[in-house]
Short mmCIF file of all heavy atoms in Angstrom, two decimals:
data_model
loop_
_atom_site.label_atom_id
_atom_site.label_comp_id
_atom_site.label_asym_id
_atom_site.label_seq_id
_atom_site.Cartn_x
_atom_site.Cartn_y
_atom_site.Cartn_z
N GLU A 1 30.85 78.30 66.05
CA GLU A 1 30.24 79.47 66.67
C GLU A 1 31.12 80.72 66.56
O GLU A 1 30.72 81.79 67.02
CB GLU A 1 29.95 79.16 68.14
CG GLU A 1 28.88 78.08 68.32
CD GLU A 1 28.66 77.68 69.77
OE1 GLU A 1 29.59 77.83 70.60
OE2 GLU A 1 27.55 77.21 70.07
N ARG A 2 32.26 80.57 65.92
CA ARG A 2 33.19 81.70 65.74
C ARG A 2 33.56 81.80 64.27
O ARG A 2 34.59 81.29 63.84
CB ARG A 2 34.44 81.48 66.60
CG ARG A 2 35.42 82.64 66.60
CD ARG A 2 36.67 82.28 67.39
NE ARG A 2 37.62 83.38 67.45
CZ ARG A 2 38.46 83.72 66.48
NH1 ARG A 2 38.47 83.05 65.34
NH2 ARG A 2 39.28 84.74 66.62
N PRO A 3 32.71 82.43 63.43
CA PRO A 3 32.99 82.49 61.99
C PRO A 3 34.38 83.03 61.68
O PRO A 3 34.89 83.93 62.35
CB PRO A 3 31.90 83.43 61.47
CG PRO A 3 30.77 83.25 62.44
CD PRO A 3 31.43 83.07 63.78
N ALA A 4 34.98 82.45 60.67
CA ALA A 4 36.34 82.84 60.26
C ALA A 4 36.40 84.32 59.92
O ALA A 4 35.48 84.88 59.31
CB ALA A 4 36.78 82.01 59.07
N GLN A 5 37.51 84.94 60.31
CA GLN A 5 37.76 86.34 59.99
C GLN A 5 39.13 86.48 59.35
O GLN A 5 40.02 85.64 59.54
CB GLN A 5 37.68 87.19 61.25
CG GLN A 5 36.32 87.19 61.93
CD GLN A 5 36.28 88.06 63.16
OE1 GLN A 5 37.27 88.66 63.56
NE2 GLN A 5 35.12 88.12 63.81
N ALA A 6 39.29 87.55 58.61
CA ALA A 6 40.60 87.83 58.01
C ALA A 6 41.61 88.13 59.11
O ALA A 6 41.28 88.70 60.15
CB ALA A 6 40.48 89.01 57.05
N ASN A 7 42.85 87.75 58.86
CA ASN A 7 43.95 88.05 59.78
C ASN A 7 44.57 89.39 59.37
O ASN A 7 45.20 89.48 58.32
CB ASN A 7 44.99 86.93 59.71
CG ASN A 7 46.20 87.21 60.59
OD1 ASN A 7 46.26 88.20 61.32
ND2 ASN A 7 47.20 86.34 60.50
N PRO A 8 44.39 90.44 60.17
CA PRO A 8 44.89 91.77 59.78
C PRO A 8 46.42 91.82 59.70
O PRO A 8 46.96 92.70 59.05
CB PRO A 8 44.36 92.70 60.87
CG PRO A 8 44.08 91.81 62.04
CD PRO A 8 43.70 90.48 61.47
N GLN A 9 47.11 90.87 60.33
CA GLN A 9 48.57 90.84 60.28
C GLN A 9 49.11 90.00 59.13
O GLN A 9 50.33 89.91 58.95
CB GLN A 9 49.14 90.29 61.60
CG GLN A 9 49.24 91.31 62.71
CD GLN A 9 47.91 91.60 63.37
OE1 GLN A 9 47.19 90.67 63.74
NE2 GLN A 9 47.55 92.87 63.50
N TRP A 10 48.22 89.39 58.36
CA TRP A 10 48.69 88.51 57.28
C TRP A 10 49.46 89.31 56.24
O TRP A 10 49.06 90.40 55.84
CB TRP A 10 47.50 87.83 56.62
CG TRP A 10 47.87 86.67 55.75
CD1 TRP A 10 48.04 85.38 56.13
CD2 TRP A 10 48.10 86.70 54.34
NE1 TRP A 10 48.37 84.59 55.06
CE2 TRP A 10 48.42 85.39 53.94
CE3 TRP A 10 48.08 87.71 53.38
CZ2 TRP A 10 48.70 85.05 52.62
CZ3 TRP A 10 48.37 87.38 52.07
CH2 TRP A 10 48.68 86.06 51.69
N ASP A 11 50.59 88.78 55.80
CA ASP A 11 51.49 89.48 54.89
C ASP A 11 51.80 88.59 53.71
O ASP A 11 52.36 87.49 53.88
CB ASP A 11 52.77 89.86 55.64
CG ASP A 11 53.74 90.68 54.79
OD1 ASP A 11 53.43 90.92 53.60
OD2 ASP A 11 54.80 91.05 55.31
N GLY A 12 51.46 89.04 52.52
CA GLY A 12 51.72 88.26 51.32
C GLY A 12 53.19 88.04 51.03
O GLY A 12 53.55 87.12 50.30
N ALA A 13 54.06 88.84 51.62
CA ALA A 13 55.49 88.65 51.42
C ALA A 13 56.01 87.45 52.21
O ALA A 13 56.96 86.78 51.80
CB ALA A 13 56.25 89.92 51.84
N THR A 14 55.36 87.18 53.35
CA THR A 14 55.70 86.00 54.16
C THR A 14 54.38 85.32 54.55
O THR A 14 53.97 85.39 55.71
CB THR A 14 56.50 86.37 55.41
OG1 THR A 14 55.76 87.36 56.16
CG2 THR A 14 57.86 86.94 55.04
N PRO A 15 53.71 84.70 53.59
CA PRO A 15 52.34 84.23 53.82
C PRO A 15 52.24 83.12 54.86
O PRO A 15 52.99 82.15 54.82
CB PRO A 15 51.90 83.73 52.44
CG PRO A 15 53.16 83.44 51.72
CD PRO A 15 54.18 84.40 52.22
N ASP A 16 51.32 83.28 55.80
CA ASP A 16 51.03 82.28 56.82
C ASP A 16 50.01 81.30 56.26
O ASP A 16 48.88 81.70 55.95
CB ASP A 16 50.47 82.96 58.08
CG ASP A 16 49.84 81.99 59.05
OD1 ASP A 16 50.27 80.83 59.07
OD2 ASP A 16 48.93 82.40 59.79
N PRO A 17 50.34 80.00 56.12
CA PRO A 17 49.40 79.03 55.53
C PRO A 17 48.14 78.81 56.37
O PRO A 17 47.13 78.34 55.84
CB PRO A 17 50.22 77.75 55.44
CG PRO A 17 51.65 78.18 55.47
CD PRO A 17 51.67 79.38 56.35
N GLY A 18 48.17 79.14 57.65
CA GLY A 18 47.03 78.86 58.52
C GLY A 18 45.97 79.94 58.55
O GLY A 18 44.90 79.73 59.13
N SER A 19 46.24 81.10 57.97
CA SER A 19 45.26 82.18 57.97
C SER A 19 45.38 82.93 56.65
O SER A 19 46.05 82.48 55.72
CB SER A 19 45.50 83.13 59.15
OG SER A 19 46.76 83.78 59.04
N SER A 20 44.73 84.08 56.54
CA SER A 20 44.72 84.82 55.28
C SER A 20 44.22 86.24 55.54
O SER A 20 43.73 86.55 56.63
CB SER A 20 43.82 84.12 54.26
OG SER A 20 43.81 84.82 53.03
N ASN A 21 44.32 87.07 54.52
CA ASN A 21 43.73 88.40 54.60
C ASN A 21 42.28 88.38 54.12
O ASN A 21 41.67 89.42 53.93
CB ASN A 21 44.55 89.42 53.82
CG ASN A 21 44.64 89.09 52.34
OD1 ASN A 21 44.27 87.99 51.90
ND2 ASN A 21 45.16 90.03 51.55
N VAL A 22 41.74 87.17 53.92
CA VAL A 22 40.32 86.97 53.63
C VAL A 22 39.78 86.04 54.73
O VAL A 22 40.56 85.44 55.47
CB VAL A 22 40.10 86.36 52.23
CG1 VAL A 22 40.69 87.27 51.17
CG2 VAL A 22 40.70 84.96 52.12
N PRO A 23 38.46 85.91 54.88
CA PRO A 23 37.92 85.14 56.01
C PRO A 23 38.06 83.64 55.83
O PRO A 23 37.08 82.90 55.60
CB PRO A 23 36.45 85.58 56.06
CG PRO A 23 36.12 85.97 54.66
CD PRO A 23 37.38 86.60 54.12
N HIS A 24 39.28 83.16 55.92
CA HIS A 24 39.55 81.72 55.85
C HIS A 24 40.61 81.35 56.88
O HIS A 24 41.64 82.02 56.98
CB HIS A 24 40.05 81.32 54.45
CG HIS A 24 40.30 79.85 54.32
ND1 HIS A 24 41.55 79.29 54.49
CD2 HIS A 24 39.45 78.82 54.06
CE1 HIS A 24 41.47 77.97 54.33
NE2 HIS A 24 40.21 77.66 54.06
N ARG A 25 40.34 80.30 57.65
CA ARG A 25 41.27 79.83 58.69
C ARG A 25 41.41 78.33 58.61
O ARG A 25 40.51 77.63 58.11
CB ARG A 25 40.76 80.21 60.08
CG ARG A 25 40.69 81.70 60.35
CD ARG A 25 42.02 82.24 60.83
NE ARG A 25 41.99 83.69 61.02
CZ ARG A 25 42.79 84.35 61.87
NH1 ARG A 25 43.67 83.69 62.59
NH2 ARG A 25 42.71 85.65 61.97
N VAL A 26 42.50 77.82 59.16
CA VAL A 26 42.72 76.38 59.28
C VAL A 26 43.17 76.10 60.71
O VAL A 26 44.00 76.83 61.26
CB VAL A 26 43.79 75.88 58.29
CG1 VAL A 26 44.06 74.40 58.51
CG2 VAL A 26 43.34 76.11 56.85
N TYR A 27 42.60 75.05 61.32
CA TYR A 27 43.00 74.64 62.67
C TYR A 27 43.28 73.14 62.71
O TYR A 27 42.64 72.36 61.99
CB TYR A 27 41.90 74.94 63.69
CG TYR A 27 41.57 76.40 63.87
CD1 TYR A 27 40.39 76.92 63.35
CD2 TYR A 27 42.42 77.25 64.56
CE1 TYR A 27 40.06 78.27 63.52
CE2 TYR A 27 42.11 78.59 64.73
CZ TYR A 27 40.93 79.10 64.21
OH TYR A 27 40.62 80.43 64.37
N ASN A 28 44.22 72.75 63.56
CA ASN A 28 44.37 71.36 63.95
C ASN A 28 43.42 71.06 65.10
O ASN A 28 43.29 71.87 66.02
CB ASN A 28 45.80 71.08 64.45
CG ASN A 28 46.84 71.11 63.35
OD1 ASN A 28 46.54 70.84 62.19
ND2 ASN A 28 48.06 71.43 63.72
N ILE A 29 42.78 69.90 65.06
CA ILE A 29 42.09 69.39 66.26
C ILE A 29 42.69 68.02 66.55
O ILE A 29 42.40 67.04 65.86
CB ILE A 29 40.57 69.30 66.09
CG1 ILE A 29 39.98 70.65 65.70
CG2 ILE A 29 39.94 68.83 67.40
CD1 ILE A 29 38.46 70.67 65.65
N GLY A 30 43.55 67.98 67.54
CA GLY A 30 44.21 66.76 67.95
C GLY A 30 44.48 66.78 69.43
O GLY A 30 44.36 67.83 70.09
#
């Protein structure tokens, strides 16, 4: 119910594997 959005703080110099500057996210469910 919460479509993925780009992370405005994402930085290609220090890329965060869990988000992106495009609408893609990754979450743990545990």
Side-chain angles (χ1 to χ4, degrees):
E1 294 175 335
R2 185 185 182 280
Q5 298 181 358
N7 177 5
Q9 278 78 49
W10 195 87
D11 184 358
T14 55
D16 166 28
S19 64
S20 181
N21 61 349
V22 301
H24 182 265
R25 295 275 177 154
V26 176
Y27 296 107
N28 289 333
I29 304 186

